[in-house]
């Protein structure tokens, strides 16, 4: 069974043998390592180290943000309104539902385009806008104008998490000015840096906002091995460039097969592709043929997302996909 459902980077591996044999990392708490990683991230993003918060994956930071804003809203007898374009990263919805947070869904158009003007914060509430850019699962990116509009409405009690998990896959990625008021940018080492199993991500924001969010942090929430691997990965620009190039190469092979089979798909700036299917039975059929594909997409049952895996994984996928085509499932 191969798993192409989670957009992991399986194309290139790090060599961290020397780190794994470091006894001091095993027997000491990781607080000094956290400082070192924050310093490296601050240099990379041209901010101060107190503008960086680390998490056990970026999902940890998303969770803390929702908890913090929900608590503040309740303390003022208000509600937190989570505004999410749909479809989106499912974990955000799970957290909101568990905390009984109000959710306002902004449904994308058939071409998966988000009209940012549809996002209207509620008065007399706290609002948290959650945006993935590039979008997950379409891999479409927001324009400079869209980003400027979103930043303009983040004031007073309206906040935004701008989740840039896949930003590094586009060398020309458009982001926003760092540390703007009420905006938290999240990034991760799980994707292009190929450290998904170590669970480490980070946020960039104003120090005052991060201090508030980090009231909900668990002490030493990241282990020392993850921290040192992240520090070494961050310094290895050649690794990122090579991973990006290999992703582009394998994505082109994936697009070629989709074209040959006449399967509609969206062009992608990330390490996954969203493509059309004809039947919801597609997921189970692919599982039976040794491939775990992307989750079923809320409100878009006839689309599926596939990760750009290594060539061995893709060859298994291509074989199963051709069988699915013969069964008229795609």
């Amino acid at each position: 069974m191969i798993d192409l459902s989670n957009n992991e980077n399986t194309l290139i591996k790090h060599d961290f043998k020397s780190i794994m044999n470091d006894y001091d990392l095993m027997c000491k708490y990781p607080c000094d390592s956290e400082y070192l990683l924050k310093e490296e991230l601050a240099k990379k993003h041209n901010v101060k180290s107190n503008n960086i918060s680390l998490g056990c994956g970026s999902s940890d930071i998303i969770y803390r943000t929702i908890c913090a804003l929900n608590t503040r809203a309740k303390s003022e007898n208000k509600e937190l309104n989570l505004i999410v374009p749909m479809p989106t990263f499912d974990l955000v919805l799970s957290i909101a539902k568990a905390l009984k947070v109000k959710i306002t869904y902004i449904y994308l158009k058939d071409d998966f385009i988000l009209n940012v003007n549809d996002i209207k914060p509620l008065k007399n509430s706290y609002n948290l806008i959650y945006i993935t850019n590039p979008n997950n699962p379409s891999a479409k990116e927001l324009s400079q104008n869209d980003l400027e509009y979103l930043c303009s409405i983040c004031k007073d009690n309206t906040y935004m998490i701008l989740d840039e998990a896949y930003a590094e896959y586009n060398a020309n990625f458009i982001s926003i000015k760092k540390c703007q008021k009420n905006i938290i940018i999240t990034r991760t080492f799980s994707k292009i840096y190929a450290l998904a199993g170590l669970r480490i991500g980070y946020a960039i924001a104003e120090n005052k906002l991060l201090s508030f969010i980090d009231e909900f942090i668990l002490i030493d929430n990241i282990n020392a091995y993850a921290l040192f691997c992240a520090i070494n990965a961050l310094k290895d620009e050649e690794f990122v460039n090579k991973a990006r190039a290999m992703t582009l190469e394998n994505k082109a092979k994936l697009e070629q097969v989709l074209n040959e089979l006449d399967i509609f798909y969206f062009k992608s700036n990330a390490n996954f592709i969203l493509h059309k299917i004809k039947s919801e039975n597609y997921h189970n059929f692919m599982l039976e043929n040794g491939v775990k594909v992307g989750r079923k997409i809320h409100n878009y049952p006839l689309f599926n997302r596939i990760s750009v895996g290594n060539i061995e994984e893709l060859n298994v996928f291509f074989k199963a996909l051709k069988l699915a085509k013969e069964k008229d499932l795609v």
Side-chain angles (χ1 to χ4, degrees):
M1 176 68 65
I2 65 165
D3 189 346
L4 293 175
S5 67
N6 291 315
N7 308 333
E8 296 130 331
N9 177 8
T10 59
L11 283 73
I12 181 172
K13 297 179 181 178
H14 297 280
D15 182 6
F16 290 144
K17 290 178 184 176
S18 61
I19 297 173
M20 295 306 169
N21 292 327
D22 189 331
Y23 178 72
D24 283 348
L25 291 182
M26 187 186 304
C27 67
K28 294 183 179 179
Y29 286 110
C31 50
D32 289 342
S33 310
E34 290 185 17
Y35 173 77
L36 291 173
L37 180 55
K38 285 182 180 181
E39 286 287 296
E40 291 298 326
L41 287 166
K43 282 188 229 173
K44 174 181 173 62
H45 293 286
N46 195 28
V47 296
K48 296 179 180 179
S49 59
N50 65 5
N51 295 127
I52 303 289
S53 179
L54 304 177
C56 184
S58 54
S59 53
D60 177 25
I61 297 159
I62 293 166
Y63 173 73
R64 298 200 309 256
T65 302
I66 296 174
C67 286
L69 291 175
N70 190 44
T71 299
R72 178 171 287 182
K74 286 183 176 179
S75 72
E76 298 177 16
N77 293 317
K78 295 179 179 178
E79 67 177 354
L80 175 61
N81 174 40
L82 178 68
I83 304 173
V84 287
M86 289 295 290
T88 193
F89 182 34
D90 283 356
L91 177 72
V92 176
L93 303 177
S94 299
I95 295 168
K97 289 172 183 176
L99 295 172
K100 295 182 170 51
V101 166
K102 175 183 173 62
I103 304 174
T104 298
Y105 300 100
I106 308 295
Y107 287 96
L108 304 183
K109 300 176 182 177
D110 290 341
D111 56 4
F112 282 80
I113 293 292
L114 169 64
N115 182 356
V116 295
N117 294 300
D118 290 339
I119 297 176
K120 301 185 186 303
L122 296 177
K123 295 180 179 178
N124 301 318
S125 293
Y126 274 78
N127 299 279
L128 176 59
I129 303 164
Y130 176 76
I131 300 283
T132 56
N133 187 40
N135 174 261
N136 180 4
S138 74
K140 287 180 174 287
E141 293 180 2
L142 295 175
S143 68
Q144 185 72 56
N145 287 341
D146 286 342
L147 289 168
E148 288 175 2
Y149 170 79
L150 290 169
C151 291
S152 73
I153 62 176
C154 291
K155 54 189 177 183
D156 301 324
N157 290 341
T158 295
Y159 297 78
M160 177 170 67
I161 295 174
L162 190 60
D163 187 342
E164 297 180 342
Y166 302 94
E168 291 89 356
Y169 281 102
N170 181 2
N172 301 311
F173 179 74
I174 299 172
S175 187
I176 63 171
K177 182 180 177 183
K178 306 295 190 298
C179 305
Q180 293 191 54
K181 189 174 177 63
N182 289 18
I183 298 174
I184 305 104
I185 297 174
T186 60
R187 290 209 177 185
T188 183
F189 286 88
S190 295
K191 304 305 178 183
I192 205 165
Y193 288 104
L195 298 180
L198 293 182
R199 308 308 304 126
I200 183 161
Y202 61 98
I204 310 168
E206 284 186 328
N207 172 249
K208 183 178 178 181
L209 178 55
L210 286 182
S211 296
F212 165 57
I213 292 168
D214 285 351
E215 290 177 8
F216 290 81
I217 199 170
L218 290 175
I219 190 169
D220 298 324
N221 62 330
I222 308 166
N223 71 74
Y225 286 116
L227 288 162
F228 265 85
C229 287
I231 291 167
N232 281 268
L234 197 64
K235 293 178 180 178
D236 192 351
E237 291 185 14
E238 183 181 349
F239 181 94
V240 171
N241 291 333
K242 191 171 181 180
R244 187 187 298 118
M246 293 174 73
T247 301
L248 287 172
E249 182 180 347
N250 281 13
K251 188 160 53 176
K253 293 174 182 176
L254 176 52
E255 290 175 341
Q256 181 181 349
V257 171
L258 291 170
N259 286 329
E260 289 172 356
L261 297 177
D262 195 26
I263 298 172
F264 173 83
Y265 64 91
F266 289 108
K267 294 294 289 184
S268 164
N269 280 318
N271 68 331
F272 57 88
I273 287 180
L274 183 69
H275 67 87
K276 199 90 167 61
I277 61 177
K278 293 182 179 179
S279 169
E280 293 183 56
N281 294 327
Y282 169 79
H283 305 81
N284 288 334
F285 178 84
M286 295 299 279
L287 271 178
E288 291 166 3
N289 285 274
V291 184
K292 185 178 180 182
V293 296
R295 68 184 187 274
K296 293 186 179 182
I297 299 172
H298 181 75
N299 214 48
Y300 297 87
L302 297 183
F303 278 95
N304 194 248
R305 187 196 69 194
I306 191 72
S307 305
V308 178
N310 59 49
I311 194 60
E312 292 80 13
E313 292 169 329
L314 286 181
N315 283 335
V316 176
F317 171 70
F318 294 154
K319 182 179 178 180
L321 187 67
K322 289 171 182 176
L323 292 174
K325 181 69 175 181
E326 291 174 8
K327 298 285 185 180
D328 202 33
L329 298 176
V330 292

